[in-house]
Amino acid sequence: MTEIATPAQTAISSGSAFGRPLRVLAWLSFLAEVLIIATGGAVRLTGSGLGCSEWPLCTPESLVPILEIQGLHGAIEFGNRTMTGVVGLLALAVLMFTLHAVSGRRLVVRAVWFAVGGIVVAIGVYMAASALGLPAAALMSAALLLAVLAGAVDSLRQTVQRRDLAVLAWVVLIGVMAQAVMGGFAVISDLNPFIVGFHYASSLLLVCVTALFLVRLGTQPGPRELAVPGWFMWLSHLTGFALAVTIAVGVLTTGSGPHSGDAAIKREGFDATILAHVHSWPGYILAALVLTLTVAAWMLRLPPRRWLLVLIGAILVQVLVGVIQSRTGLPGILVGVHMVLASLSAAAYTVMVTTLKRPVAANPYED
C-alpha cells in the first residue's frame, strides 16, 4: 500500500506552507542581489574601488569613511559594503523562514546555536590573532564561514521535507558571506582584475540561485520528466554554455578596459580592444541560439516559450547596449547597465531551464 501523507506533509510538498512573508523576503533577496551588482558596478565605474583603503574597516582608524579625507569615493565604496549587510540579513531571514516552514522550530533553534557558537569562536580567533600579529579580520571571517558551513551540513542532514529549498537558502547565505571576504581580498590586492572579475561572477551566480529559489517555492517537488523534445533540451544546454562564455569574456574585457576601479591602477596584459571584438562573437552566437529556441518553442507550443521571450528580449537589449558602448568609448553608465542586464539574462535563462521538465503525473490507481 502507498503510504498516506499527513496534511502537514502535503502542505509542504505543494508549497502552501510557504506563506506571504517568505515569498516577500525571497523577492527582496533576489532584488537585493541584483542591486548589489549595480552598486558594485558604481564602485568600479566611478573609480571608488579603493575609496576605503582597509577591510573590514574603511580606514585604519574608522569603520566608516571620513568624508573630509576620502570624499565621494569613500562614501560610494562604503555604500556598497553597507549593501552587503542588507543582502546578508535578507539571506539569513529567508533561511530562517524556510527552515521554520520545513521543520518548525527545531532546525531554526539548531541553526541559531551554531550561529552563537560561531560568533564566540570567531571572537576568540580575532583576539588570539591580534595578540600574535596575524591578520585578525581575515581569520575571524574564515571562522564565521566555517561555522556557517558546519551549520548547513547539520541542518541539511536533518531536513526531510523540501530539502531543495533548504539547500538553496543555505547556498545564498554562505555565498553572501564568501562574497564579503572576496571583496576584502579585492581591496587588499589593490583591485586585482581576476579577483574583481570572480567577485562579479559570484554575485551573478547568487542572482541565479535566488531566482531559482523563487521558482522552487511554487514548484511541486518529486520526480520530473522531460517536457520538451530531446534536441530542444540539448540546444538549451548549448545556449547556457554560450551564455557562460559570453559573460566570462565580458568579465575579462571589463577588467582590461579603462574602468579599473581606481584612477591610480592601470590594467596591463589583455588588449581590451581585441577582447571587445572577441566578446561579441559568443554574444551573437548566443542571440542566434536563443532566437532559434524561441521560434521553435512557440511553433511547438512548448512550456519554456514565455520565458524564452523574456530571455530573447534581455539578450537583444544586451547586444544593443554592447554595440553602443563600444562605439561611444565605454561610458560608465552603459557599462553598468550591461553588467546588470547580464545578471538578469542569466536569471531568465535559469528560470527557463526549470521549465524543460515537469512533475511526473501520479497514478491514482497505484497501490
Side-chain angles (χ1 to χ4, degrees), residues 27-51:
W27 269 107
L28 289 175
S29 181
F30 169 75
L31 294 174
E33 292 289 354
V34 175
L35 182 58
I36 201 170
I37 286 181
T39 60
V43 169
R44 184 170 188 173
L45 300 171
T46 60
S48 305
L50 297 178

Side-chain angles (χ1 to χ4, degrees), residues 17-365:
F18 306 109
R20 181 179 296 272
L22 177 56
R23 295 180 187 279
V24 170
L25 287 170
W27 269 107
L28 289 175
S29 181
F30 169 75
L31 294 174
E33 292 289 354
V34 175
L35 182 58
I36 201 170
I37 286 181
T39 60
V43 169
R44 184 170 188 173
L45 300 171
T46 60
S48 305
L50 297 178
C52 288
S53 59
E54 306 295 324
W55 183 89
L57 299 178
C58 188
T59 71
E61 301 82 17
S62 175
L63 174 65
V64 300
I66 303 172
L67 296 182
E68 292 79 4
I69 299 176
Q70 294 156 299
L72 183 60
H73 290 318
I76 293 174
E77 164 65 5
F78 186 74
N80 185 57
R81 294 188 181 190
T82 303
M83 189 63 204
T84 300
V86 174
V87 171
L89 289 174
L90 286 170
L92 179 61
V94 169
L95 173 64
M96 291 303 177
F97 272 80
T98 301
L99 293 180
H100 187 271
V102 302
S103 68
R105 294 178 63 251
R106 182 174 59 87
L107 288 186
V108 174
V109 171
R110 290 184 68 90
V112 170
W113 275 114
F114 268 96
V116 171
I119 292 172
V120 171
V121 171
I123 293 174
V125 169
Y126 183 87
M127 295 174 64
S130 298
L132 296 173
L134 299 174
L139 291 174
M140 179 186 69
S141 300
L144 282 173
L145 187 56
L146 287 174
V148 173
L149 287 170
V153 172
D154 175 76
S155 176
L156 294 176
R157 288 181 61 185
Q158 300 184 60
T159 301
V160 178
Q161 298 291 329
R162 297 312 306 262
R163 182 176 293 178
D164 57 332
L165 291 176
V167 168
L168 293 174
W170 276 111
V171 166
V172 174
L173 180 61
I174 293 170
V176 170
M177 294 185 64
Q179 278 289 76
V181 176
M182 187 60 62
F185 278 115
V187 173
I188 294 171
S189 66
D190 289 331
L191 305 181
N192 180 288
F194 294 103
I195 295 179
V196 173
F198 183 78
H199 193 44
Y200 167 76
S202 301
S203 295
L204 185 145
L205 288 175
L206 288 177
V207 171
C208 295
V209 175
T210 51
L212 181 58
F213 183 90
L214 281 167
V215 173
R216 295 296 298 175
L217 266 180
T219 302
Q220 181 76 25
R224 301 176 70 81
E225 61 185 5
L226 201 61
V228 298
W231 62 266
F232 190 95
M233 179 191 67
W234 287 110
L235 191 60
S236 298
H237 293 331
L238 180 61
T239 301
F241 177 75
L243 176 61
V245 172
T246 303
I247 292 173
V249 179
V251 169
L252 287 176
T253 304
T254 303
S256 305
H259 303 292
S260 61
D262 188 270
I265 295 178
K266 304 299 181 184
R267 298 298 181 219
E268 297 179 359
F270 294 110
D271 188 321
T273 303
I274 295 177
L275 277 178
H277 290 291
V278 175
H279 177 46
S280 67
W281 301 338
Y284 290 131
I285 293 173
L286 172 64
L289 286 171
V290 176
L291 182 60
T292 301
L293 285 173
T294 303
V295 172
W298 279 92
M299 289 182 63
L300 300 175
R301 300 190 63 80
L302 299 177
R305 61 186 183 276
R306 290 184 175 84
W307 275 104
L308 278 167
L309 279 182
V310 176
L311 181 58
I312 191 64
I315 296 296
L316 291 178
V317 174
Q318 273 286 73
V319 171
L320 178 62
V321 171
V323 171
I324 293 175
Q325 71 174 10
S326 65
R327 294 182 178 180
T328 55
L330 300 176
I333 184 65
L334 288 184
V335 176
V337 170
H338 205 52
M339 292 169 62
V340 173
L341 283 175
S343 69
L344 293 176
S345 299
Y349 173 79
T350 301
V351 177
M352 185 277 292
V353 168
T354 66
T355 65
L356 297 177
K357 292 185 177 182
R358 61 192 170 208
V360 176
N363 184 351
Y365 300 104

